[in-house]
Amino acid sequence: MNLEKIRSDFPILKDVIYMDSASTSLTPEPVLETMLKYYREYNANVGRGVHRLSQMAQQRYNDAHKKVASFIGAKEGDLIFTRNTTESINMVAQGLRWRRGERVVTTLAEHHSNFLPWLRLRKDGIDLDIIKPDKNGSFNTSDFERAIDSRTRLVAVTQLTNVLGTVLPVKEISEICRDRGAMLLVDGAQSVPHMPTNVKDLGCDFLCFSGHKMLGPKGTGVLWTRKEIEPLLVGGGMVEDVSAEGFKIKKGHEGFEAGTPHISGGIGLGRAADYLVEADMNKVKAHEDKLAGRLLDGLCEIRGVDVYGSSNTNDRSGIVSFTVRGLAPHDVALMLDHASNIMVRSGHHCCIPLMKHLGLKEGTVRASLYLYNTKEEIDRLLGTAEDIAKMVG
Ligand SMILES: Cc1ncc(COP(=O)(O)O)c(C=O)c1O
């Protein structure tokens, strides 16, 4: 991986140290150029016209679906473009026909986007079983063995937690699901952008992730599914036939993308997938793991800093949460910005149930890495965090 070349595609990095990629990633020049090209050269709607520009837009938009499908190793099923992971998960929650008494199993470490859609189903008589992590934020496969039973219709878990950076045993969970006849939804918002992904290996029925967290444009996300669900929206562009009696939905992604989609966004997301393939996802992961190890070890050595999650780097990723004793996480984040132009997220990270479980009322400071971060940036964060800790210590 040519780090210098990669960094030159993100001019914003001249001014800041960006360690908030779990929230949203930066967008490289080739993705921006691809989007501008659409607006400048073939700006037209998809699924509606026969003129030249419309055909060109349709072709590129379809190609983008194929690129993203190939990025996650999907040879079958439907790959639907959405606005974000949140929309993808809601499409599944609202798109399955539920019967009272059915169960959903999820965990306490989920982002609100993979928690609220299931919590809301309780009003329809759906039971929710919530598995708790241990004090390090790790999960035991045996807890899933116990929780998933014949009434469980769906298991919804994140592959990688956005607060603690813990990796969940998704493969094992998928085997338990298969044994018990339950479907598996994987929230890949934090995993798909950072590690090689193959839906077949994951063994899931639904995979949800965000384009904007994997170098794609804001307002892009993905739902991959190999199960039948009802579309969330109905309307233009998604029907084969309509009469006063009813309508017949188109096959494939078109049936789920009613209305004019985010065309430049979808095409830009396809370019982002290409960009990551060119960078090589194995190398992206290795680079991030190395940096995360350095960050984790360094933070653990600073007096007055508490680091959360597993200390075993094998079940972690490039997300590290910490606090500085005596300071609120928001204050630490502001100090990192003011002192060293370091951008990190602070607070509850849309994981209030987990924060309550861990007794972290004000949340944590979270540094999250990506392919464009460097060893020198990690050292800068460590140096600044040490100065901040000394100030209050
Ligand atoms: C694990 C996880 N799931 C879901 C989401 C929601 O993603 P989006 O805001 O793109 O819908 C996030 C966002 O941070 C996340 O980290």
Side-chain angles (χ1 to χ4, degrees):
M1 213 175 72
N2 184 342
L3 191 50
E4 212 176 304
K5 163 76 189 72
I6 286 173
R7 284 178 67 82
S8 71
D9 287 330
F10 300 87
I12 200 171
L13 291 174
K14 284 197 203 93
D15 302 320
V16 298
I17 295 178
Y18 190 76
M19 293 195 184
D20 195 16
S21 296
S23 197
T24 192
S25 69
L26 299 178
T27 321
E29 289 296 305
V31 171
L32 299 177
E33 281 156 18
T34 301
M35 291 173 75
L36 270 180
K37 204 169 153 73
Y38 160 76
Y39 279 112
R40 288 193 173 130
E41 296 176 18
Y42 57 101
N43 187 345
N45 215 330
V46 293
R48 285 152 176 82
V50 292
H51 62 76
R52 199 169 67 232
L53 291 195
S54 175
Q55 294 290 315
M56 206 191 282
Q58 182 72 62
Q59 181 67 48
R60 303 276 160 85
Y61 191 65
N62 287 349
D63 286 350
H65 282 77
K66 287 188 197 139
K67 285 171 197 228
V68 179
S70 150
F71 185 73
I72 56 164
K75 295 206 174 61
E76 50 165 279
D78 292 320
L79 187 123
I80 302 154
F81 282 170
T82 62
R83 283 187 303 148
N84 44 44
T85 303
T86 307
E87 184 171 87
S88 305
I89 296 172
N90 274 279
M91 277 171 82
V92 178
Q94 298 299 310
L96 289 168
R97 277 201 212 99
W98 295 96
R99 282 187 298 271
R100 294 186 85 77
E102 286 180 330
R103 288 174 86 205
V104 172
V105 171
T106 189
T107 83
L108 203 68
E110 302 304 318
H111 187 280
H112 295 161
S113 295
N114 195 27
F115 200 74
L116 271 59
W118 315 118
L119 212 50
R120 184 158 75 166
L121 289 178
R122 274 185 170 158
K123 71 173 175 6
D124 301 323
I126 305 305
D127 293 333
L128 191 57
D129 200 331
I130 302 163
I131 298 177
K132 293 192 178 83
D134 65 20
K135 65 178 180 356
N136 290 325
S138 301
F139 286 90
N140 245 321
T141 315
S142 59
D143 286 335
F144 288 90
E145 291 266 12
R146 257 191 305 277
I148 304 168
D149 64 14
S150 58
R151 274 204 304 138
T152 308
R153 174 111 186 264
L154 182 95
V155 177
V157 289
T158 185
Q159 189 178 8
L160 212 158
T161 65
N162 63 310
V163 174
L164 302 174
T166 320
V167 181
L168 266 81
V170 168
K171 183 93 192 106
E172 286 88 337
I173 296 169
S174 90
E175 276 154 23
I176 305 168
C177 286
R178 195 163 342 118
D179 270 5
R180 317 266 157 97
M183 293 183 286
L184 175 63
L185 177 144
V186 172
D187 174 350
Q190 299 299 346
S191 54
V192 174
H194 301 277
M195 56 176 74
T197 304
N198 187 307
V199 280
K200 209 161 161 226
D201 292 347
L202 274 181
C204 61
D205 299 287
F206 306 100
L207 178 65
C208 307
F209 54 102
S210 300
H212 70 92
K213 292 185 200 284
M214 54 173 274
L215 311 183
K218 310 298 168 238
T220 64
V222 176
L223 167 62
W224 172 81
T225 168
R226 57 192 180 90
K227 290 280 187 232
E228 275 207 10
I229 56 170
E230 304 253 327
L232 193 60
L233 300 178
V234 293
M238 50 86 71
V239 276
E240 234 166 64
D241 194 19
V242 190
S243 69
E245 276 68 50
F247 53 87
K248 186 163 182 250
I249 296 168
K250 279 186 186 166
K251 290 218 176 333
H253 67 86
E254 285 174 316
F256 294 91
E257 296 180 16
T260 300
H262 184 2
I263 305 169
S264 67
I267 294 170
L269 177 55
R271 182 64 188 94
D274 278 349
Y275 190 94
L276 288 169
V277 170
E278 284 156 24
D280 184 342
M281 287 306 289
N282 285 304
K283 291 188 181 155
V284 170
K285 181 171 182 335
H287 174 71
E288 284 179 37
D289 284 351
K290 213 159 140 198
L291 293 183
R294 191 179 183 93
L295 177 58
L296 196 63
D297 291 347
L299 283 172
C300 287
E301 276 171 19
I302 303 175
R303 273 188 61 192
V305 167
D306 294 312
V307 183
Y308 303 94
S310 169
S311 51
N312 179 357
T313 41
N314 287 336
D315 22 278
R316 296 195 57 127
S317 68
I319 293 177
V320 181
S321 262
F322 64 96
T323 48
V324 177
R325 265 169 252 157
L327 283 175
H330 286 324
D331 290 334
V332 176
L334 282 174
M335 287 162 128
L336 288 169
D337 178 358
H338 290 169
S340 295
N341 297 317
I342 299 172
M343 311 292 137
V344 292
R345 187 167 167 189
S346 49
H348 56 60
H349 314 294
C350 299
C351 277
I352 293 177
L354 178 66
M355 290 302 172
K356 285 184 178 159
H357 179 67
L358 297 174
L360 294 164
K361 229 171 84 209
E362 292 182 283
T364 67
V365 183
R366 181 187 72 182
S368 54
L369 311 174
Y370 212 176
L371 76 169
Y372 35 68
N373 289 116
T374 65
K375 194 156 85 16
E376 291 72 26
E377 290 180 333
I378 301 292
D379 293 346
R380 187 73 191 265
L381 172 73
L382 292 173
T384 316
E386 188 164 15
D387 290 346
I388 295 172
K390 270 190 197 139
M391 258 168 42
V392 279

